[in-house]
Amino acid sequence: YLGLAFEGETCLVQSAEAGGPAYRAGVKAGDRLVSLGAGKVATPADVRAAAARLRPGEAVEAGLRRGETVLRLAITVGSRLK
């Protein structure tokens, strides 16, 4: 669980859930997620598939574009409470 919502079928971040893993790592609305771990991502389905291989508490590097800047942030995977 990363706590991200995307715009449509793109990896443009619509929101990072307040207090969620991505939010705590510094991900912001308007960022474009381009990689997660060792793999590139282009759609929310890619992100879900990559995140499904991760365990809560595991840190994963996320590659983001924020405007013209490329960022690498460490996101510590959380567990979604149901």
Side-chain angles (χ1 to χ4, degrees):
Y1 165 68
L2 301 174
L4 288 171
F6 296 103
E7 290 188 15
E9 288 302 311
T10 71
C11 283
L12 184 65
V13 176
Q14 182 177 27
S15 65
E17 183 180 315
Y23 179 89
R24 288 192 309 269
V27 178
K28 298 179 179 182
D31 289 345
R32 182 172 301 278
L33 190 62
V34 296
S35 66
L36 191 61
K40 293 185 179 192
V41 293
T43 68
D46 294 342
V47 176
R48 286 190 296 275
R53 294 188 291 271
L54 303 169
R55 293 197 165 120
E58 186 176 348
V60 63
E61 183 179 273
L64 303 163
R65 282 196 163 285
R66 183 175 291 159
E68 297 298 315
T69 305
V70 176
L71 302 171
R72 302 258 181 240
L73 300 176
I75 300 175
T76 301
V77 179
S79 58
R80 181 183 294 265
L81 299 176
K82 295 185 179 190

